[in-house]
Each structure stands twice: as structure tokens, then as C-alpha cells.
Amino acid sequence: MGVPELSPSRPSRRRRLLRLGAALTVSCALAGYLVVRFGPDAQHARPGCEVVSADGDGATYSFGADQAVNAATIAAVGTSRGMPERAVTIALATALQESGLRNLDHGDRDSVGLFQQRPSQGWGTVAQIMDPVYSAGKFYQRLDKVDDYANLPLTVAAQKVQRSAFPEAYAKHEPDAALLAAALTGRAEAALTCESTVPDGPGDPSAVRAALIRDFGASVLPGAPEARKKATTAAATTTPAPVAGTLAQAPARARTVVVPVAAPATAKDPKAGRRGWELAQWAVAHASVLHLSEVAYAGREWRASGTGHTWREIGAEKSAGARQADGAEGVRIVTAP
């Protein structure tokens, strides 16, 4: 009897089908990514931010606009308490590991917030911990009690505050946290930018003032006691929503908040402008939520539309718009019309 011709086995056909299916899945995923990244709707993607190294080593860190808001608040709370840049780096690395710089309403067991603090462990109520200013303040309060924390390895310092089950995980975030801290404490000038389109709706200068006081304290905006009292009260409540109507048609001067600071850095005093750059880059980080169109300081300007990832030089006439009454420099923050 002759031997019949063998046909491909079922297992062999099955393997080919599986390989074909896997290839199609990868192709569809790639096509979907390209459509989202470069397709017609790409311009509507959520804005992103970037911080670059001030040391000329080419290091960068890219992150979302929502993360930028939280990072800037964490840094502002730290400097307002007189904490050094190293403390801000430790706080930012901790928040990057614990929540990805997002104010989470959930976590392991009863952990919530930027630092995943637990009400059952004495960090405060859920409502308190979900307030970024409160949670950052509690972190710094405990960090300040750690002996010689500034000279400890970041993982050790963070662990003494957090008591995490995975303390070594903080280390991988130190480079990015250090870049953020350098910009958000003002040491790195024009190092933080956010890419954005024209803000969706008008901004409100009173919301900017309230947010500044919320993060930095009432002293950030010197003025009449009654005006400071109103702004402090507004900062203690929900940030006012942008308003339409007459404000939307108001001239730039009416939509501008000028925050007084010391003079920009000079060759004789390179640290003089640090406060100004801290405030300017805080404003850029908050541009998406406060609906800002421009931020200017020390002869440079960030604009929400068209130049979102650059700080450009501006003319003397426009720079004069950020002068204080005594002629000193100020940070000019302009809300969207």
C-alpha cells in the first residue's frame, strides 16, 4: 500500500494563525498611536510640560500639565516654609513615586493624595490630605524633624517620613525631581515650559491672586490689609472659575497680575532673581488651570500660543509692563481674554 502524502499538521497551522494575529494586533496598535500622535485630532491632545537642566548636560523631563500644577504647588509650599532646594527634591521624588504627581483619591488601604498619606496613621482627614497644600505641608513638617536630612541619601530621607514598603523605589525619581526642583525654586532660569494652545475660555485675575496666596501665603502679594484679607479668604475656598462677559473683552492691563519681586540676577548678585523665576515658572505650570496667555520676567516671556516650549526675549517697552511702582522688577502674569 502506498504512503499517503502528508498535509500540514493542525498545530503548525495554529502557530501560523497565532503569529498572523499577533502581527495584526501590533500593526493596529501602531496605527492607532500614529493617528493619536500625528492625526487631525493631535492638536487637541492634553498639553504637556518640559523642564531642562540648568547644568548644560542636556537632561530633560517631560510630564503632563496636571502634574506640573501639583509639582509647582509642592515646591511653593516648601520654599514658603524656608525649606532648601534639597527638601523640595525629596518631596517631589516622593510624590513621583507615590502618585505620579497626581492627587489620587484612592490607594493602598486608606492611602490618598499626592503623597499617599493615610488618615489612620495620623496624617489628617481624607479631605485635608486631598488638599495639595496641606499634604505637602505635612510632608515638609515631618521631613524637617529628620536629623541632617539634606545630607542623607534621598531614599533614606524619604523613607524616614513615608515608611514605605519599597523605600528603594524613590531613588529612580531623583534625577527628574532634581530638575523640577531647580526650576520650581528659581535656581534654573527659564527652564520650565508648557506647551499649550490658546486657553479654552477667559482667565480671571482674582483666581490667579487666590492661587498665589494659597501656595505661597498672603505675603506674596503686598497691599492694603483689606485687599489681602479678601484674597486670603478666596484662596481658602475653591479657586474661582474663569468668568465671561466684560472681563473677556478687558484690555491686557485689566487682565494682568504683577507680583513684586527683587531685581533680576546680576553679575554681583546672581541669586537676586531666584524668587522671580520661582514665581514665573509657577505661573507657567499653572497656565492650563488658570487660563493664562502670557508670563514675563527679567526681559523674557512665555506665551501660551505658538511658543509654548520657549522663553523668548522681549523688548524694553513690553518688559516695562512688569515694573513695580518703585521701578523694581515684577513677574507679569496675563490671563486669557
Side-chain angles (χ1 to χ4, degrees), residues 1-333:
M1 180 181 290
V3 178
E5 182 178 348
L6 296 177
S7 60
S9 65
R10 289 184 178 180
S12 177
R13 287 198 300 272
R14 187 178 295 113
R15 283 194 294 271
R16 286 201 297 271
L17 288 172
L18 288 173
R19 285 196 294 269
L20 178 60
L24 287 172
T25 299
V26 171
S27 298
C28 289
L30 177 59
Y33 167 77
L34 292 174
V35 168
V36 171
R37 180 65 179 84
F38 300 107
D41 293 329
Q43 62 182 345
H44 301 299
R46 298 179 70 184
C49 300
E50 182 180 67
V51 62
V52 299
S53 174
D55 300 326
D57 55 10
T60 65
Y61 173 59
S62 299
F63 54 118
D66 56 333
Q67 296 169 296
V69 171
N70 291 323
T73 293
I74 290 171
V77 173
T79 59
S80 296
R81 286 172 165 261
M83 304 294 281
E85 183 181 332
R86 178 61 175 173
V88 176
T89 299
I90 295 168
L92 289 169
T94 301
L96 278 165
Q97 170 58 28
E98 297 292 348
S99 68
L101 281 174
R102 293 183 172 88
N103 199 25
L104 303 178
D105 62 359
H106 60 278
D108 179 46
R109 289 171 281 189
D110 60 337
S111 301
V112 293
L114 288 170
F115 297 91
Q116 290 291 279
Q117 295 157 337
R118 298 179 59 192
S120 63
Q121 300 302 307
W123 286 96
T125 66
V126 171
Q128 287 175 323
I129 297 171
M130 289 299 294
D131 174 3
V133 174
Y134 173 90
S135 61
K138 292 296 287 186
F139 181 89
Y140 288 120
Q141 184 182 68
R142 296 198 181 187
L143 178 65
D144 199 34
K145 295 179 180 178
V146 176
D147 290 338
D148 200 30
Y149 70 83
N151 293 314
L152 294 175
L154 185 143
T155 53
V156 175
Q159 176 64 358
K160 285 182 177 292
V161 176
Q162 294 291 107
R163 302 189 183 280
S164 169
F166 306 99
E168 295 305 316
Y170 298 121
K172 63 186 177 185
H173 300 289
E174 184 168 2
D176 295 334
L179 288 178
L180 281 171
L184 292 171
T185 61
R187 179 171 64 82
E189 301 178 0
L192 186 143
T193 55
C194 289
E195 187 175 44
S196 177
T197 56
V198 175
D200 183 18
D204 183 351
S206 66
V208 176
R209 295 185 186 96
L212 282 163
I213 290 174
R214 179 198 64 211
D215 285 7
F216 291 98
S219 62
V220 73
L221 292 173
E226 185 61 27
R228 287 175 57 179
K229 180 180 179 181
K230 289 180 179 179
T232 304
T233 301
T237 61
T238 303
T239 300
V243 296
T246 56
L247 183 61
Q249 285 79 43
R253 181 176 298 178
R255 295 182 283 106
T256 299
V257 176
V258 177
V259 187
V261 293
T266 63
K268 292 183 178 180
D269 187 6
K271 294 183 179 180
R274 184 161 181 161
R275 175 68 165 178
W277 281 112
E278 175 185 12
L279 288 160
Q281 293 177 126
W282 173 94
V284 171
H286 280 78
S288 61
V289 295
L290 292 175
H291 294 216
L292 306 181
S293 61
E294 301 174 23
V295 178
Y297 177 64
R300 281 185 277 186
E301 177 186 65
W302 172 91
R303 297 176 65 91
S305 179
T307 59
H309 268 319
T310 61
W311 282 87
R312 66 180 186 178
E313 299 287 335
I314 57 177
E317 180 179 349
K318 197 165 189 179
S319 182
R323 298 288 180 185
Q324 302 171 50
D326 60 1
E329 191 77 19
V331 177
R332 180 169 57 86
I333 304 171

